[in-house]
Amino acid sequence: MMLFKRSRQLHGWLAAVMLAILLTLTGCSSGQEDAAEDAGAKPQGDLTLVVGAYSVVKDAMGEILPLFAEKWEAETGQHIVFQESYEASGTQARAIVGGFEADVTLLALEGDIDKLVKAGLVEKNWKERGENGMVTRSVVALGTREGNPKGIESFADLAKPGVKVLYPNPKTSGGAQWDINAIYGAGLKQSEKQTGSKDPAAAKAFLESVHANIESLDKSGRASMAAFEYGVGDVIVTYENELLARIAQGVKYEVVIPDDTILIENPAAVLDKYVDERGTRQAAEALVDYLATPEAQEVFAKYGFRPVNEQVYAKNADRYPVPAGLFDIQYLGGWDEVRATLYSKRGVWYQVLAGI
């Protein structure tokens, strides 16, 4: 824990030093631009945007950011330079709260944006951008070795003897929270089918039975995928898009989408406090808006995400089967209820870890 705190402080300190240097340079170029304006010339100059995102979007953003920069330069004459940081969603949110002055953030779940709102870094109206604040969707899926040798078809199969399961740690990973939400929700669905009503005790027991077969809890969804590719475990619980992206690169996986699984929605937001301090609001807001455009959504779709843009989703709908029992976060009572029920200090998840 002490190492993590020191690492976070170092991360925030380095980010602050880098941004101080950038702001000094910006101040110098500002004087040059004023002189250019006095001479009747159109002001030109580089603009730096700092992007702090969760690890899973790294590859897609590697294509999207240059497209946005090209568009922005054509419209404004400004050449944008990006500083990018990719971490597990919870880790990234804590780094931003701790002083990492990002202009734009993409995180795995709404709850991590809520932390930034509570810290006074993001305005409460952040959902006015994107699709109710969201820029990508996915579902929690299961990835198995080629040929699905363990015969995995549902979350219940993860509890079978001899099945080694991977998912990341929900304390650091937003993706892991989606995974746990999906398993717990599948337990509620199962109890509802059997008794006609949701049974939280049965859902907890279902989650316990799966967690009993856990092989490792990694820091992030991307780290969990790396471990799986290294040969750890029989099945990984992860985003559908992570599996599709790796399969597109030639990795031999099988994708299993359980009938009862959760719809993932991933948000993006402008860090209002930091963009106002740094004078980057216009470009930062334009970037978040751009993430929901057909051009950017096509890139997200290329990397296996389910687009929030209806036009792009319609073009790719045959790639994305809709599970019969698909549910969203509201089935679990919404994020406030989920945080209180599953992830509080005495919540279900921590009871499962403690074996109580």
Side-chain angles (χ1 to χ4, degrees):
M1 180 61 70
M2 183 61 68
L3 288 174
F4 172 76
K5 288 182 178 177
R6 288 176 179 171
S7 174
R8 182 178 69 182
Q9 292 168 353
L10 180 59
H11 186 186
W13 178 80
L14 288 172
V17 170
M18 292 176 69
L19 286 172
I21 294 171
L22 286 168
L23 288 172
T24 301
L25 293 174
T26 302
C28 294
S29 65
S30 177
Q32 295 170 350
E33 289 172 11
D34 289 343
E37 280 189 294
D38 290 341
K42 182 180 178 181
Q44 299 286 331
D46 288 349
L47 176 69
T48 299
L49 279 185
V50 182
V51 178
Y54 72 110
S55 58
V56 173
V57 295
K58 181 177 181 179
D59 296 336
M61 292 299 286
E63 290 193 28
I64 289 172
L65 292 178
L67 292 174
F68 172 74
E70 182 179 354
K71 181 176 184 292
W72 181 259
E73 186 166 9
E75 293 176 353
T76 68
Q78 287 183 315
H79 177 66
I80 290 185
V81 176
F82 295 100
Q83 288 185 347
E84 303 166 54
S85 168
Y86 298 93
E87 291 279 358
S89 185
T91 302
Q92 190 69 268
R94 285 190 292 272
I96 293 171
V97 170
F100 172 43
E101 297 184 6
D103 296 297
V104 170
T105 187
L106 291 82
L107 296 175
L109 44 86
E110 184 176 331
D112 284 336
I113 299 289
D114 288 342
K115 295 174 186 175
L116 306 182
V117 173
K118 291 176 181 177
L121 302 176
V122 174
E123 297 293 340
K124 293 180 180 180
N125 65 349
W126 66 272
K127 286 189 175 183
E128 292 178 2
R129 298 189 178 278
E131 183 66 30
N132 198 30
M134 307 301 157
V135 293
T136 55
R137 294 190 179 110
S138 190
V139 297
V140 172
L142 308 175
T144 78
R145 305 297 176 187
E146 186 176 11
N148 193 3
K150 296 288 185 176
I152 303 298
E153 296 181 359
S154 67
F155 287 119
D157 291 334
L158 304 187
K160 290 179 177 179
V163 177
K164 298 177 181 179
V165 181
L166 291 184
Y167 47 69
N169 189 339
K171 187 173 182 179
T172 56
S173 169
Q177 289 192 31
W178 283 116
D179 298 339
I180 301 305
N181 295 348
I183 297 168
Y184 182 79
L188 288 178
K189 284 272 189 179
Q190 187 177 83
S191 68
E192 195 171 21
K193 292 172 186 175
Q194 293 172 349
T195 68
S197 62
K198 300 176 187 176
D199 184 348
K204 177 190 172 185
F206 186 75
L207 178 58
E208 286 174 329
S209 69
V210 173
H211 189 69
N213 281 346
I214 196 69
E215 186 75 359
S216 69
L217 286 174
D218 296 293
K219 176 182 178 181
S220 69
R222 185 54 58 92
S224 189
M225 180 62 72
F228 190 59
E229 293 194 355
Y230 189 72
V232 178
D234 301 308
V235 56
I236 183 170
V237 186
T238 187
Y239 291 163
E240 174 193 43
N241 55 276
E242 279 284 79
L243 296 167
L244 294 180
R246 297 302 293 142
I247 289 171
Q249 295 174 20
V251 182
K252 304 295 184 181
Y253 290 144
E254 303 289 336
V255 180
V256 178
I257 301 179
D259 284 344
D260 296 328
T261 191
I262 197 167
L263 175 69
I264 295 169
E265 295 186 291
N266 312 119
V270 172
L271 276 300
D272 294 281
K273 181 177 186 294
Y274 295 146
V275 298
D276 286 340
E277 290 175 352
R278 300 183 57 225
T280 54
R281 175 174 288 279
Q282 186 178 4
E285 289 181 344
L287 174 56
V288 174
D289 289 341
Y290 180 75
L291 296 176
T293 64
E295 186 175 30
Q297 290 288 299
E298 287 284 6
V299 177
F300 281 128
K302 173 182 174 182
Y303 285 91
F305 290 94
R306 297 186 176 213
V308 299
N309 180 280
E310 292 184 6
Q311 173 188 344
V312 179
Y313 182 84
K315 287 174 60 178
N316 294 276
D318 59 340
R319 297 175 55 196
Y320 305 118
V322 179
L326 184 67
F327 56 93
D328 62 16
I329 197 68
Q330 295 306 316
Y331 179 75
L332 303 181
W335 276 112
D336 287 344
E337 178 68 19
V338 166
R339 283 192 289 269
T341 301
L342 267 69
Y343 304 115
S344 65
K345 290 182 179 179
R346 298 181 180 275
V348 169
W349 169 249
Y350 296 100
Q351 291 176 33
V352 169
L353 282 183
I356 58 177

